[in-house]
């Protein structure tokens, strides 16, 4: 009753511009199809890989409790206390295992010479999972041996504020879950 999980398939429609042919080789260009063949579409107010979490700013068993988050001014005494707690939460995030695994190589490197796939994933801490997401989003685009260092999908272009806001909301939620 929280959502539907089903198989996904990439669109048959053309995606690539001729002058951007290198995108076809980049792991991020067909996300999430490169690594996943199933996904869940959650009904409001549920979210998460299996619809087992609440959307941002909601909590409770049925995700009906609205949470108001107040940002503190770090220059005040109350803000300094919150900063100390924040550092503690970061340390907890470094010491707690994430529910997610991360790829240890690019997609093309997972194929053996005989065409079989060798899964190259590892577990990671909550903190390092977010380091990985950020790094993965902004590593250089490659085409064979050529590298386009000007293409940074996390920071270049109009998606920057939206991408970083979503990223920080996910990171904040992970810290809230760790801290109770």
């Amino acid at each position: 009753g929280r959502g539907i999980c089903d198989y996904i398939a990439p669109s048959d429609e053309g995606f690539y511009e001729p002058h951007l042919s290198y995108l076809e080789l980049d792991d991020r260009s067909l996300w999430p199809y490169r690594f996943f063949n199933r996904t869940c579409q959650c009904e409001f107010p549920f979210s998460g890989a299996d619809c087992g979490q609440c959307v941002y700013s909601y909590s409770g068993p049925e995700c009906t409790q609205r949470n108001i988050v107040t940002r503190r001014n770090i220059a005040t005494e109350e803000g300094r206390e919150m900063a100390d707690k924040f550092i503690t939460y970061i340390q907890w995030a470094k010491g707690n295992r994430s529910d997610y695994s991360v790829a240890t190589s690019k997609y093309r490197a997972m194929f053996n010479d005989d065409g079989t796939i060798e899964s190259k994933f590892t577990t990671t801490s909550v903190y390092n999972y977010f380091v990985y997401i950020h790094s993965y989003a902004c590593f250089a685009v490659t085409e064979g041996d050529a590298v386009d260092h000007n293409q940074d999908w996390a920071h270049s272009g109009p998606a920057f504020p939206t991408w970083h806001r979503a990223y920080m909301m996910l990171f904040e939620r992970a810290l809230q879950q760790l801290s109770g």
Side-chain angles (χ1 to χ4, degrees), residues 13-171:
E13 296 177 22
F15 175 77
Y16 307 104
E17 297 289 330
H19 67 286
L20 300 176
S21 63
Y22 59 83
L23 293 179
E24 188 172 356
L25 303 174
D26 193 291
D27 296 350
R28 299 161 296 183
S29 64
L30 288 176
W31 187 262
Y33 312 116
R34 292 278 197 221
F35 296 105
F36 304 102
N37 64 0
R38 287 180 56 84
T39 190
C40 296
Q41 178 66 43
C42 305
E43 294 181 18
F44 184 82
F46 305 107
S47 72
D50 61 357
C51 301
Q53 297 177 358
C54 302
V55 297
Y56 187 77
S57 76
Y58 284 83
S59 65
E62 294 300 315
C63 301
T64 55
Q65 181 180 343
R66 184 86 160 113
N67 299 327
I68 306 297
V69 177
T70 304
R71 303 284 187 271
R72 307 284 188 239
N73 182 346
I74 202 165
T76 66
E77 185 173 337
E78 182 184 26
R80 286 189 294 276
E81 290 174 14
M82 293 304 295
D84 290 341
K85 286 182 181 180
F86 176 74
I87 291 169
T88 299
Y89 300 153
I90 293 291
Q91 291 169 340
W92 288 355
K94 289 181 177 183
N96 281 277
R97 184 176 158 184
S98 172
D99 292 337
Y100 300 98
S101 297
V102 297
T104 58
S105 71
K106 291 186 179 180
Y107 181 73
R108 288 179 292 159
M110 294 183 184
F111 288 90
N112 296 321
D113 291 338
D114 63 1
T116 59
I117 297 176
E118 180 181 344
S119 180
K120 296 181 180 179
F121 293 87
T122 189
T123 58
T124 189
S125 71
V126 172
Y127 179 84
N128 284 337
Y129 172 70
F130 284 93
V131 170
Y132 174 84
I133 289 173
H134 193 273
S135 173
Y136 189 75
C138 62
F139 71 72
V141 175
T142 60
E143 178 182 16
D145 294 331
V147 178
D148 182 353
H149 292 287
N150 296 318
Q151 185 69 42
D152 176 348
W153 292 0
H155 301 104
S156 298
F160 171 75
T162 305
W163 186 91
H164 261 274
R165 179 66 182 139
Y167 173 80
M168 292 307 298
M169 288 172 65
L170 290 172
F171 185 60

